[in-house]
Amino acid sequence: MAEEITRELTMSRAMVEAIAGEMRADDEVFYMGEDVADYGGIFDSTEGLREEFGYDRVMDVPISETAYLGAAVGAAQEGMRPIAELMFVDFFGVAMDQIYNQMAKNTYMSGGNVSVPMVLTAAVGGTYNDAAQHSQTLYGTFAHMPGMKVVVPSTAYEAKGLMHNAIRDDDPVVYLFHKRLMGIGWLPAPDGPKTPVPETDYTIPFGSADVKHAGEDVTIVTLGLHVHRALEAAESLAEDGIGAEVIDLRSLVPLDTDTIVESVEKTGTLVVVDEDYRSYGVTGEIVASVADEAVGALDSVERVALPDVPIPYARSLENEVVADAGDIEAAVRRTQ
Amino acid sequence: MAEEITRELTMSRAMVEAIAGEMRADDEVFYMGEDVADYGGIFDSTEGLREEFGYDRVMDVPISETAYLGAAVGAAQEGMRPIAELMFVDFFGVAMDQIYNQMAKNTYMSGGNVSVPMVLTAAVGGTYNDAAQHSQTLYGTFAHMPGMKVVVPSTAYEAKGLMHNAIRDDDPVVYLFHKRLMGIGWLPAPDGPKTPVPETDYTIPFGSADVKHAGEDVTIVTLGLHVHRALEAAESLAEDGIGAEVIDLRSLVPLDTDTIVESVEKTGTLVVVDEDYRSYGVTGEIVASVADEAVGALDSVERVALPDVPIPYARSLENEVVADAGDIEAAVRRTQ
Amino acid sequence: MVALTELTEMYADMVTARHYEERLQEEYLEGKQPAFDISAGPIPGELHLAAGHEAAGAGVCQHLRDDDTVTAPHRPHHVAIAKGVDLKRMTAEIFGRETGLGKGKGGHMHLFDPDVSFACSGIIAEGCPPAAGAGLAAKKRNTDSVAVAYLGEGAIDQGAFLESLNFAAVHDLPVVFVIEDNDWAISMPKERVTDLEDGSKRADGFDMPGRRVDVDDAVAVYDAAREAVGRARDQNGPTLLEIQVHRRMGHFMGDPESYRPEADQAAAAQRDSIERLADDLRAAGTDDAELEDLRAEAEARVEEAIEWAKDQPKPDPAAAHEDMWVNPPSGVTDSEPDFDLAGGED
Amino acid sequence: MVALTELTEMYADMVTARHYEERLQEEYLEGKQPAFDISAGPIPGELHLAAGHEAAGAGVCQHLRDDDTVTAPHRPHHVAIAKGVDLKRMTAEIFGRETGLGKGKGGHMHLFDPDVSFACSGIIAEGCPPAAGAGLAAKKRNTDSVAVAYLGEGAIDQGAFLESLNFAAVHDLPVVFVIEDNDWAISMPKERVTDLEDGSKRADGFDMPGRRVDVDDAVAVYDAAREAVGRARDQNGPTLLEIQVHRRMGHFMGDPESYRPEADQAAAAQRDSIERLADDLRAAGTDDAELEDLRAEAEARVEEAIEWAKDQPKPDPAAAHEDMWVNPPSGVTDSEPDFDLAGGED
Ligand SMILES: Cc1ncc(C[n+]2csc(CCOP(=O)(O)OP(=O)(O)O)c2C)c(N)n1
Ligand SMILES: Cc1ncc(C[n+]2csc(CCOP(=O)(O)OP(=O)(O)O)c2C)c(N)n1
Ligand SMILES: [Mg+2]
Ligand SMILES: [Mg+2]
């Protein structure tokens, strides 16, 4: 019987603990990004690392995402293990060629002759009124283009285990952490993401979705922040006797279709909840993946995602487009 | 009764005819891109335009996609009507911020105060062994991010009508033309894309899918090059008494869900055929859109798309990943 | 010699901008006390205030007309004020109200006022290409409008800026690039990330005139900008200007600035382009009472705008689904003509 | 004075490269006659040949070791040959064969030979940041390896290059940027798209030494590169070189070059860095028979590589689904440890 773990960490502390652990174990691991040294990362992704490892291994870089993400690709191809941060995922467009035409494709284009053992970290998500250029998750955009493993922790426990696996992986991994979950002082997290975290190093495999709440009536598939909103909805549905199974994807690439299909075969009902745009993204893929495997099992389907508009600024407007627990609950009720 | 149109054009001639027509009608329309002046566009997208309109209105630009696509955004916001070409859609990553954070979002972010009447043209597609950085369609990537209307002509007739509508539209339109369909001397087109084209100016509305072949047994939804491959499959299936309805989407945004759902309600079977990557893209969205509206009608589903790998170079490998008529036929047969 | 009216106008813009930022700071922090919670209070989201940058806004925009285009970055208010953006509607936008410039959809980093050709964007340096595009439009239309792109010294390492230098230079576009050098890019001091001390030297690699105004002095900025804007207006091509300014507040509200040496903060607080310009006005014969009036007027204008903005309705949630398109989704047409296409596939 | 052995090595590389391109041209056009069909024949896809660029490949790479990294653009063969890339496996890759450098997956724009630290990419200027990254790795590891990024003169307007100049300069990285100026970017003459005549002047805006070799002369390139590579190896930071070369063929095979004045084509055909180097070798005492031997050896090597490549098996279609990952999709682990997380949600 495993020892009981009681120490709780915020998601940011857990993420940093994994990075620090790998940096201690391997001199070739280093972190690059804007404001990652003295500031400790705008979203606390590197808090305290510069103090321990110095400026050389926790490098502030010019506001030149193409140059420094590309430099990470180059250093990774030399065998180093860079972690490079895009401050907001929304800035992908200034460096997408390095991300997609180089980092993601070089392994395949070289017939496996070259590997690119780097981690691209990026803060994602809204809920604090940062408007259209600073609030997206872009989950679907990154998951669509092959060559990157794409992971999204929802709690401190996952943040650590996924990060250890990401740094050790010889393939490029995109690690998308939700700002609202980090436990940053000025951006209070909901209750869920702060969890017990083992002191020891451990790895969580990619492609293993986690059933965060069991239920018999409806399968809710989600990730990131919305895991917690779905759990809230599940509690409330339970009061009315509706059993919701909440599946936290944890990685988009690879996708754990088995866990989803197994659940839908039991419940017959699929509600996919996503903080990315609705069309041509995550919700479509999850629905279609189930249809591929078990179209007969699908009695009822709902997609809860950002409507196809940029994310608006004003609170009333942003709240309208980003689903809350009530929206999820309502979607579930529509299926019953 | 409409007059019979017999004049046939290649897709490139039809596209150029629409551009020339709009340039004659409005001095504020101009075309920018690499090799669009003397060369006439690497894929014949501007053939002859410089000769008629001169270098000022058919502008060669530096290999600075961010600068010139952004300049198109700026000129459009001043009320001009630029058409700007990305030589291959695969280069999106060097300019995606201008495309997505500016061109696509400014209208919404300004509350409709500003409009961006520009057309972004780009060549898409494989089948001639140009490998991972020059063969993609990226249909799903562009369609996923709201703010751009995304159109994909499959024949000369559509190329002209969609282009007229695109240039006249005050919203940003992404016009993706498939290299294999243009009718370029060195890249022979299949039979289908060369069609009769009216001399007169005409506009095809976005969001109106076209049933290119009627059938009762299976609904094949596709676009671009694969319209022709699906039609080939439909002919061959017809010989075995399987009636395939082939729907040409013509635009991804807006998406004509009605036409698709209506067909699937009749056939019960949906086969989506796409030249973009399979996961988190077009095929998923089409399946999910039907599930949203008519999950009960879906007896059988198949997705035929690029497997989730970059596009390989060698002929045997590229042929393996890009579906041909035989692959479509086989998918249909799996559903019967 | 700068005309007194111009000095006075610049002064008015600058005191308006300074007071505006100070008042926004107060409003912003309301509801975010004692614990700072970015998502609480009357002004949502990030807020980047430009106290200490005023000379760069006023000194350049003093030369601009309404039909000259300005693009600003994430720290836009002082430029917007100097450019003549509607103060009330801008303020309403910052408060996320329905009558804001963007109906509450854009927010403080995305202010668009087409009446005075002003726009801004929150992505580093990405205002440069659209400014070049406005210059291109002016050139194509053969008007004498010009375009100005503002950026921070931290933005001079970004491709969008560098590509725009070439684009503007090779086409001789009427564009002025204005770098506001406040020594910091969030927590990163210039020397840690940029090869140059003097950002205007980027021009040397692009066959373009470059000039640095290394003192935070509105008159010096005015003079440098007169030449640069004049060059553009006379169709003699682009110029790169760098202006030394000072960041008197954190990068964004809530920034603890723990990375920043106290001496640097103190120095920034001491240098005051507004006081300097007041001295120039006094030297030109303006007395203290007049200066006080100008200040009072500016403050009243700011108060009025803030009052007005706070009175405006919040957007109806349903409005989130509007303003996606200017034309219908189908484009300018919603029906396809009926042709008889011989041999066609239809 | 350049040592005779070095002159000889460069000559061997250059005649190999020239013969290689001429032979590939023949092979490529086979099956594409009479009507040119890009998707027919033994070599699929686009093909960008570098005849006329040889001096830039040989003169720079002569100073490099296997552990020095080189990134090349879409026109890579002459550089690959000078860098010592495995000629047979490179050729097999170009023919799309299973034993090619990338198992037929990459093709001629995506050649990776980690044994000699060579890579290329088909996206303009996007080899520059990875080269800077290789330089960064060398610096972090405190080795004296250097990195060289090649690009065309048409690429000097692209953000990836310009950002890399700053990145390399601010970190004093051991990187040499080499612009091959062949006067054309496909159909666009330099002056139509770029503000500078001399691309090495870009360095002036980035506080970096820049130097142009304005004659297509291997020895002049060798000399300039000795200084630049030496500077990098001695940890004195990056350099920008521009080398005048000539495009003796179309941009890609099949390019009708109808945009190109005949006089320009003729001039390019006349200038021949290979003949020039032959003269240098003669002056250094090499006789014509020796030169003939070098040529014959080079040709034999090329023929052997092409023969070998054409003999290699085509990839099994199923292989398209392989080589996506180096590790399993699950990462280094495929099972989650079993913790008892008190109060956790599991
Ligand atoms: C492409 C991009 N990268 C990073 C950021 C995040 N960011 C916002 S402001 C800023 C610092 C800008 O510094 P500077 O340009 O000097 O302007 P200042 O804030 O000092 O006025 C950064 C890195 C961004 N908005 N866009
Ligand atoms: C970002 C990007 N834009 C455009 C292209 C298409 N393209 C390929 S080669 C080329 C011209 C390159 O000219 P130059 O850099 O001078 O090299 P050269 O071909 O003359 O050797 C262009 C525009 C590309 N590959 N990548
Ligand atoms: Mg700054
Ligand atoms: Mg060239």
Side-chain angles (χ1 to χ4, degrees):
Chain A
M1 178 62 209
E3 180 204 359
E4 202 189 51
I5 312 289
T6 52
R7 181 190 66 145
E8 294 204 341
L9 295 182
T10 61
M11 203 166 99
S12 97
R13 293 313 313 155
M15 172 177 165
V16 169
E17 186 166 284
I19 297 167
E22 296 296 330
M23 287 181 77
R24 279 178 214 124
D26 183 353
D27 279 352
E28 303 260 296
V29 178
F30 65 100
Y31 204 106
M32 282 202 272
E34 292 151 13
D35 304 288
V36 301
D38 298 347
Y39 202 106
I42 298 298
F43 301 103
D44 289 1
S45 53
T46 57
E47 187 73 40
L49 291 177
R50 195 266 302 152
E51 289 77 354
E52 178 174 352
F53 299 100
Y55 288 101
D56 256 12
R57 296 186 64 198
V58 185
M59 278 178 70
D60 274 345
V61 292
I63 310 176
S64 294
E65 286 80 0
T66 289
Y68 78 79
L69 295 181
V73 173
Q77 288 180 183
E78 300 293 324
M80 296 196 78
R81 305 189 85 82
I83 309 168
E85 175 173 308
L86 189 59
M87 188 190 287
F88 289 73
V89 79
D90 312 70
F91 308 157
F92 79 112
V94 305
M96 195 59 182
D97 192 76
Q98 283 300 328
I99 297 172
Y100 190 55
N101 270 329
Q102 328 291 330
M103 178 187 93
K105 288 181 182 164
N106 283 357
T107 301
Y108 185 84
M109 291 195 304
S110 71
N113 213 348
V114 155
S115 70
V116 189
M118 69 178 271
V119 181
L120 171 64
T121 55
V124 306
T127 73
Y128 64 101
N129 316 110
D130 218 2
Q133 295 180 335
H134 290 76
S135 300
Q136 304 166 106
T137 68
L138 297 179
Y139 292 142
T141 300
F142 282 85
H144 178 53
M145 290 180 281
M148 310 176 265
K149 299 175 181 177
V150 181
V151 310
V152 183
S154 65
T155 75
Y157 168 76
E158 267 102 16
K160 180 170 171 177
L162 291 171
M163 181 57 88
H164 275 295
N165 200 31
I167 299 174
R168 293 179 194 178
D169 196 334
D170 290 320
D171 294 313
V173 178
V174 178
Y175 182 103
L176 302 173
F177 57 91
H178 199 292
K179 295 165 244 175
R180 177 57 84 191
L181 297 178
M182 291 291 270
I184 304 161
W186 49 272
L187 188 56
D191 271 346
K194 187 167 182 180
T195 59
V197 177
E199 310 256 358
T200 171
D201 289 1
Y202 60 96
T203 48
I204 297 179
F206 308 146
S208 64
D210 185 45
V211 177
K212 286 266 190 299
H213 188 279
E216 301 294 317
D217 301 317
V218 55
T219 301
I220 305 180
V221 175
T222 187
L223 74 169
L225 172 65
H226 281 75
V227 168
H228 305 283
R229 295 188 169 188
L231 288 169
E232 201 184 321
E235 295 301 326
S236 160
L237 290 161
E239 287 167 21
D240 290 353
I242 301 175
E245 184 138 299
V246 177
I247 297 179
D248 176 3
L249 288 173
R250 303 203 294 192
S251 69
L252 287 166
V253 181
L255 177 66
D256 180 359
T257 314
D258 291 350
T259 298
I260 304 168
V261 169
E262 201 178 299
S263 177
V264 176
E265 278 175 338
K266 177 174 70 177
T267 64
T269 302
L270 174 63
V271 176
V272 192
V273 181
D274 180 25
E275 196 184 326
D276 193 9
Y277 304 115
R278 174 185 175 97
S279 291
Y280 303 93
V282 172
T283 56
E285 182 60 25
I286 303 297
V287 172
S289 294
V290 175
D292 285 341
E293 307 267 315
V295 71
L298 270 182
D299 296 328
S300 186
V301 173
E302 283 283 333
R303 298 199 271 168
V304 181
L306 290 187
D308 296 321
V309 296
I311 300 175
Y313 168 72
R315 200 167 288 135
S316 58
L317 300 176
E318 188 184 14
N319 287 347
E320 167 71 11
V321 304
V322 180
D324 60 18
D327 296 320
I328 300 170
E329 212 187 304
V332 169
R333 290 188 194 278
R334 284 196 296 276
T335 65
Q336 298 298 304
Chain B
M1 178 58 210
E3 184 204 355
E4 201 188 52
I5 312 288
T6 52
R7 182 190 65 146
E8 294 203 343
L9 295 182
T10 61
M11 203 166 98
S12 96
R13 292 315 311 156
M15 173 176 165
V16 170
E17 185 166 286
I19 298 167
E22 295 296 328
M23 287 182 76
R24 279 177 215 125
D26 183 352
D27 279 352
E28 302 260 295
V29 178
F30 66 100
Y31 204 106
M32 283 202 272
E34 292 151 13
D35 304 288
V36 301
D38 297 348
Y39 201 106
I42 299 297
F43 301 103
D44 289 0
S45 53
T46 56
E47 187 72 39
L49 291 178
R50 195 266 303 153
E51 288 78 353
E52 178 173 352
F53 298 100
Y55 287 103
D56 256 12
R57 297 187 64 197
V58 185
M59 277 178 70
D60 274 345
V61 291
I63 310 176
S64 294
E65 285 81 0
T66 289
Y68 78 78
L69 295 182
V73 173
Q77 288 180 185
E78 299 293 324
M80 296 195 79
R81 305 190 85 83
I83 309 167
E85 175 173 307
L86 191 58
M87 188 190 287
F88 289 72
V89 79
D90 312 69
F91 309 156
F92 80 112
V94 304
M96 196 58 181
D97 193 76
Q98 283 299 328
I99 297 172
Y100 191 54
N101 270 330
Q102 327 293 331
M103 178 187 94
K105 287 180 181 164
N106 283 356
T107 301
Y108 185 84
M109 293 195 303
S110 71
N113 214 346
V114 154
S115 70
V116 189
M118 69 177 271
V119 181
L120 171 64
T121 54
V124 305
T127 72
Y128 63 101
N129 317 109
D130 218 1
Q133 294 180 336
H134 291 76
S135 301
Q136 304 166 107
T137 67
L138 298 179
Y139 293 142
T141 300
F142 282 84
H144 178 52
M145 292 181 279
M148 310 176 265
K149 300 175 181 177
V150 181
V151 309
V152 184
S154 65
T155 75
Y157 169 74
E158 267 101 16
K160 180 169 172 178
L162 291 171
M163 181 57 88
H164 275 295
N165 199 32
I167 299 174
R168 293 179 193 177
D169 197 333
D170 290 321
D171 294 312
V173 177
V174 179
Y175 183 103
L176 302 173
F177 57 91
H178 199 293
K179 293 165 245 177
R180 177 57 84 192
L181 298 178
M182 291 292 270
I184 304 162
W186 48 272
L187 189 56
D191 270 345
K194 187 167 181 181
T195 60
V197 177
E199 310 256 358
T200 172
D201 289 1
Y202 60 95
T203 47
I204 297 179
F206 307 145
S208 64
D210 186 45
V211 178
K212 285 266 192 297
H213 188 278
E216 300 295 317
D217 300 317
V218 55
T219 302
I220 304 179
V221 176
T222 187
L223 74 170
L225 172 65
H226 281 76
V227 169
H228 305 285
R229 296 188 169 187
L231 288 170
E232 200 185 322
E235 295 300 326
S236 157
L237 290 161
E239 286 167 21
D240 289 352
I242 301 174
E245 183 137 301
V246 178
I247 297 178
D248 176 4
L249 289 172
R250 305 204 292 191
S251 70
L252 288 165
V253 181
L255 177 65
D256 180 359
T257 314
D258 291 350
T259 298
I260 303 169
V261 169
E262 202 179 298
S263 177
V264 176
E265 278 174 338
K266 178 175 68 179
T267 65
T269 301
L270 175 62
V271 176
V272 193
V273 181
D274 180 25
E275 196 183 327
D276 193 9
Y277 304 115
R278 174 186 175 96
S279 292
Y280 303 94
V282 172
T283 56
E285 181 60 24
I286 303 297
V287 173
S289 292
V290 175
D292 285 340
E293 307 268 316
V295 71
L298 269 183
D299 296 329
S300 185
V301 173
E302 283 283 334
R303 297 200 272 167
V304 181
L306 291 188
D308 296 321
V309 296
I311 299 175
Y313 168 73
R315 201 166 288 136
S316 59
L317 300 175
E318 188 185 15
N319 287 346
E320 167 71 11
V321 305
V322 179
D324 60 18
D327 296 319
I328 299 170
E329 212 187 304
V332 169
R333 290 187 194 280
R334 284 196 296 277
T335 65
Q336 298 297 304
Chain C
M1 264 294 296
V2 185
L4 180 59
T5 52
E6 302 222 52
L7 291 178
T8 308
E9 283 170 20
M10 289 195 286
Y11 186 75
D13 283 344
M14 287 169 65
V15 291
T16 303
R18 175 69 57 85
H19 190 67
Y20 193 69
E21 301 298 58
E22 287 168 353
R23 285 289 292 112
L24 285 187
Q25 181 173 35
E26 282 170 34
E27 295 286 337
Y28 184 80
L29 292 176
E30 199 167 295
K32 297 195 179 69
Q33 310 283 14
F36 185 93
D37 174 352
I38 189 174
S39 32
I43 301 181
E46 285 182 74
L47 189 65
H48 308 84
L49 299 179
H53 284 224
E54 295 84 358
V60 175
C61 293
Q62 188 60 29
H63 301 284
L64 303 182
R65 307 185 309 228
D66 285 355
D67 63 325
D68 294 328
T69 293
V70 167
T71 64
H74 57 285
R75 199 180 300 290
H77 306 157
H78 61 304
V79 182
I81 288 169
K83 186 64 172 65
V85 168
D86 185 315
L87 194 65
K88 286 183 176 166
R89 294 188 62 212
M90 168 161 112
T91 311
E93 186 62 27
I94 295 170
F95 279 85
R97 302 305 166 105
E98 196 180 280
T99 50
L101 286 171
K103 302 184 186 163
K105 295 196 164 103
H108 114 101
M109 284 188 275
H110 314 112
L111 302 164
F112 296 84
D113 189 347
D115 292 344
V116 296
S117 305
F118 179 87
C120 57
S121 169
I123 311 293
I124 291 298
E126 296 286 343
C128 296
L136 184 69
K139 190 173 173 188
K140 285 191 182 300
R141 288 166 163 174
N142 204 18
T143 71
D144 69 347
S145 339
V146 309
V148 176
Y150 278 85
L151 59 150
E153 95 294 337
I156 70 168
D157 307 326
Q158 182 68 235
F161 164 63
L162 298 163
E163 291 189 4
S164 297
L165 292 181
N166 175 67
F167 191 84
V170 74
H171 293 297
D172 276 322
L173 300 181
V175 181
V176 181
F177 299 93
V178 178
I179 303 167
E180 296 182 275
D181 176 7
N182 66 4
D183 298 320
W184 293 92
I186 311 186
S187 72
M188 303 193 300
K190 185 163 54 163
E191 61 279 11
R192 192 179 297 159
V193 292
T194 299
D195 46 6
L196 298 174
E197 283 246 337
D198 171 358
S200 75
K201 291 219 177 302
R202 283 280 190 263
D204 297 354
F206 293 86
D207 198 22
M208 186 188 293
R211 165 132 177 236
R212 179 172 155 87
V213 177
D214 66 2
V215 52
D216 186 1
D217 171 355
V219 172
V221 175
Y222 177 96
D223 286 339
R226 176 167 46 194
E227 198 181 321
V229 172
R231 216 175 98 77
R233 213 177 291 291
D234 297 343
Q235 310 190 350
N236 292 321
T239 304
L240 174 60
L241 290 184
E242 174 165 281
I243 300 167
Q244 179 71 58
V245 295
H246 296 90
R247 205 179 83 189
R248 296 170 72 93
M249 299 172 168
H251 169 75
F252 33 40
M253 291 297 93
D255 176 1
E257 291 199 290
S258 45
Y259 52 81
R260 189 170 177 188
E262 266 177 42
D264 186 76
Q265 268 169 296
Q270 253 174 27
R271 310 276 300 245
D272 199 336
S273 58
I274 293 183
E275 275 320 305
R276 195 191 299 260
L277 183 57
D279 286 343
D280 292 334
L281 278 160
R282 283 187 201 97
T286 309
D287 66 26
D288 281 352
E290 286 169 292
L291 288 176
E292 204 27 68
D293 283 353
L294 285 168
R295 258 179 208 278
E297 264 169 51
E299 293 186 12
R301 216 182 132 216
V302 168
E303 292 314 321
E304 197 194 355
I306 290 178
E307 282 314 298
W308 185 82
K310 288 165 74 173
D311 252 16
Q312 298 303 300
K314 293 183 179 165
D316 180 344
H321 306 279
E322 294 162 7
D323 297 317
M324 206 34 221
W325 312 116
V326 174
N327 287 161
S330 64
V332 295
T333 177
D334 62 5
S335 71
E336 192 169 343
D338 185 19
F339 296 113
D340 180 7
L341 301 177
E345 293 157 302
D346 293 51
Chain D
M1 266 293 299
V2 186
L4 180 59
T5 51
E6 301 223 54
L7 290 178
T8 308
E9 283 169 23
M10 289 195 286
Y11 187 74
D13 282 345
M14 287 169 65
V15 292
T16 303
R18 175 68 57 85
H19 190 67
Y20 193 68
E21 302 297 59
E22 287 169 353
R23 284 290 291 111
L24 285 187
Q25 181 174 34
E26 281 170 35
E27 294 286 336
Y28 184 80
L29 292 177
E30 199 167 295
K32 297 195 180 69
Q33 310 283 16
F36 184 92
D37 175 351
I38 189 174
S39 32
I43 301 181
E46 284 183 74
L47 188 65
H48 308 84
L49 300 180
H53 284 225
E54 295 84 359
V60 175
C61 292
Q62 188 60 28
H63 301 283
L64 302 181
R65 308 185 308 229
D66 284 356
D67 65 324
D68 294 328
T69 293
V70 167
T71 64
H74 56 287
R75 198 181 299 291
H77 306 157
H78 62 304
V79 182
I81 287 169
K83 186 65 173 67
V85 168
D86 185 317
L87 195 66
K88 285 182 176 165
R89 293 187 63 213
M90 169 162 113
T91 311
E93 187 61 27
I94 295 170
F95 279 85
R97 303 304 166 106
E98 195 179 281
T99 50
L101 286 171
K103 301 185 188 164
K105 295 197 163 103
H108 115 100
M109 284 188 275
H110 315 111
L111 302 164
F112 295 84
D113 189 346
D115 292 343
V116 296
S117 304
F118 179 88
C120 58
S121 169
I123 311 294
I124 292 297
E126 296 286 344
C128 296
L136 183 69
K139 190 174 172 189
K140 285 191 183 299
R141 288 167 165 173
N142 203 17
T143 71
D144 69 347
S145 339
V146 308
V148 176
Y150 279 86
L151 57 150
E153 95 294 336
I156 70 168
D157 306 326
Q158 183 67 236
F161 164 63
L162 298 163
E163 291 189 5
S164 297
L165 292 181
N166 176 67
F167 191 84
V170 75
H171 293 297
D172 276 322
L173 300 181
V175 181
V176 181
F177 298 93
V178 179
I179 303 167
E180 296 181 275
D181 176 7
N182 65 4
D183 299 319
W184 294 92
I186 311 186
S187 72
M188 303 193 301
K190 184 163 56 163
E191 61 278 8
R192 191 179 297 161
V193 292
T194 299
D195 47 5
L196 297 175
E197 283 245 337
D198 170 359
S200 75
K201 291 218 177 303
R202 283 280 190 262
D204 297 353
F206 292 87
D207 200 22
M208 186 188 292
R211 165 133 178 234
R212 179 172 156 88
V213 178
D214 65 2
V215 52
D216 185 0
D217 171 356
V219 171
V221 175
Y222 176 96
D223 286 338
R226 175 166 49 193
E227 199 181 319
V229 172
R231 216 174 97 79
R233 212 175 293 293
D234 297 344
Q235 310 190 351
N236 291 321
T239 304
L240 174 61
L241 291 184
E242 174 165 282
I243 300 167
Q244 179 70 58
V245 296
H246 296 91
R247 205 179 85 191
R248 296 170 73 93
M249 298 172 168
H251 170 75
F252 32 40
M253 291 297 91
D255 176 1
E257 291 199 291
S258 44
Y259 52 82
R260 190 171 176 188
E262 266 177 42
D264 185 76
Q265 267 169 297
Q270 250 172 29
R271 312 276 299 245
D272 198 336
S273 59
I274 293 183
E275 275 319 304
R276 195 190 299 261
L277 184 57
D279 287 343
D280 292 334
L281 278 160
R282 284 189 201 96
T286 308
D287 65 26
D288 281 353
E290 286 169 290
L291 289 177
E292 203 28 65
D293 282 352
L294 286 169
R295 258 179 207 279
E297 263 169 53
E299 292 185 12
R301 216 182 132 217
V302 168
E303 292 313 321
E304 196 194 356
I306 290 178
E307 282 314 297
W308 185 82
K310 288 165 75 174
D311 252 17
Q312 298 302 300
K314 294 184 178 162
D316 180 343
H321 306 279
E322 294 163 8
D323 297 316
M324 205 37 220
W325 312 117
V326 173
N327 287 161
S330 64
V332 295
T333 177
D334 63 5
S335 71
E336 193 168 344
D338 187 19
F339 297 111
D340 180 7
L341 301 178
E345 293 157 300
D346 292 50

